[in-house]
Amino acid sequence: MALFYRSAALLLKPYRASQLLPSAAHLYSSGAQNNYILVEKRGEKRNVGFIQLNRPEAYNALCDDMMTEMGNALDAFEVDKDIGAIVITGSDHIFAVCADNEEMQNRATKEYLRRNVLDHWNRVSTVKKPVIAAVNGFALGGGCELAMMCDIIYAGENAMFGQPEILLGTIPGVWGTQRLCNAVGKSLAMELLLTGDKINAQVAKQSGLVNKVYPVDQLVSEAIRCGEKIAAHSKKITAMVKESVNAVFPWLNNNE
């Protein structure tokens, strides 16, 4: 874990850990037996699936077990006839900062490329129901990639986005280069990827990465409200809309 915490410290400098970890009051309850996420139904009609990243001791760093749990939750929401949209969020100060570098280091790069062991991380982008990312705080590295896998991104006023992998001597590993370029254009994508710089919520909105920006304490409720609007429509039609839009970008669902 020492490598992970050094990497996280580099990416989040100069912020203190006490500023980033969520309080227990901001964690949602869940009946599911998950170690890294909290899952429930939200909205007046309980028709919005809700997933909250819940790994505060590691700044919500994405790991294989977390993404497996998320895939299982998405699979359950996919077949749930009551659910019409899904919201993914983190805490008030951290969405997710990166992939778990300790876990990555334990597997050689060639192993990842040969076995496509990250393919199931892409489940967020292949689920048929619309997915909304509600991003407060830092969405860096794998966290930014996770947000970009979603169909809509709402950001809190304190949100920060970036792909700072170059600062750690690597590159985005879950199609982040392609998604970022698609979202903000080649020039800004190149600048962010090659410098490791971050952009705030307002710049992210102006560049097309983010749909809307809200106060931190209103973000999740606004994302759920959007999910309720979507869920009020025909699930077959919303799935067709999503498929038709994504057909313009065939590589979005291409794991090769």
Side-chain angles (χ1 to χ4, degrees):
M1 285 296 284
L3 173 63
F4 166 75
Y5 284 110
R6 286 196 299 271
S7 300
L10 174 62
L11 298 182
L12 297 175
K13 187 179 179 181
Y15 299 89
R16 300 190 303 273
S18 60
Q19 295 176 299
L20 303 174
L21 298 180
S23 64
H26 290 90
L27 296 180
Y28 298 90
S29 60
S30 171
Q33 298 301 311
N34 294 307
N35 294 317
Y36 299 109
I37 62 173
L38 301 173
V39 183
E40 61 179 310
K41 296 182 180 181
R42 301 292 292 273
E44 291 184 7
K45 296 182 178 180
R46 314 292 286 179
N47 57 358
V48 178
F50 187 81
I51 299 173
Q52 184 179 26
L53 308 184
N54 185 34
R55 199 185 178 199
E57 75 286 351
Y59 305 103
N60 282 345
L62 308 184
C63 64
D64 202 54
D65 287 343
M66 174 189 283
M67 299 309 292
T68 296
E69 290 181 2
M70 186 175 298
N72 292 337
L74 291 169
D75 289 344
F77 286 144
E78 187 85 290
V79 299
D80 190 326
K81 295 181 180 180
D82 294 331
I83 297 298
I86 301 164
V87 171
I88 298 176
T89 193
S91 73
D92 283 353
H93 301 290
I94 286 285
F95 181 70
V97 296
C98 58
D100 192 323
N101 291 296
E102 187 79 12
E103 182 177 82
M104 295 292 187
Q105 187 185 46
N106 291 335
R107 295 178 179 177
T109 301
K110 289 183 179 180
E111 179 185 359
Y112 276 105
L113 296 176
R114 183 176 65 253
R115 296 176 55 197
N116 297 319
V117 297
L118 295 180
D119 283 356
H120 67 290
W121 288 40
N122 203 40
R123 181 65 178 115
V124 176
S125 68
T126 61
V127 64
K128 294 181 180 180
K129 295 180 179 179
V131 183
I132 304 163
V135 179
N136 270 324
F138 290 93
L140 304 178
C144 187
E145 291 177 278
L146 175 61
M148 291 190 293
M149 290 180 198
C150 300
D151 304 299
I152 296 170
I153 303 178
Y154 281 6
E157 292 174 334
N158 67 344
M160 297 289 291
F161 298 86
Q163 298 289 162
E165 285 88 349
I166 198 165
L167 302 178
L168 305 177
T170 186
I171 66 171
V174 195
W175 305 278
T177 51
Q178 298 96 321
R179 286 193 169 98
L180 187 62
C181 186
N182 178 67
V184 305
K186 177 184 175 182
S187 182
L188 181 55
M190 282 289 195
E191 181 181 7
L192 296 176
L193 291 163
L194 294 173
T195 65
D197 287 349
K198 300 180 285 290
I199 57 175
N200 62 29
Q202 291 298 335
V203 174
K205 182 177 183 297
Q206 292 168 6
S207 66
L209 178 62
V210 165
N211 295 70
K212 296 179 180 179
V213 178
Y214 292 102
V216 172
D217 60 352
Q218 297 176 23
L219 174 67
V220 170
S221 61
E222 291 294 340
I224 292 171
R225 185 172 291 110
C226 178
E228 289 180 295
K229 289 182 180 180
I230 295 170
H233 302 303
S234 163
K235 296 177 180 61
K236 289 184 179 180
I237 296 301
T238 57
M240 288 174 63
V241 169
K242 178 171 179 174
E243 182 179 5
S244 296
V245 172
N246 285 341
V248 179
F249 313 102
W251 51 266
L252 282 172
N253 298 324
N254 186 354
N255 293 338
E256 295 180 358

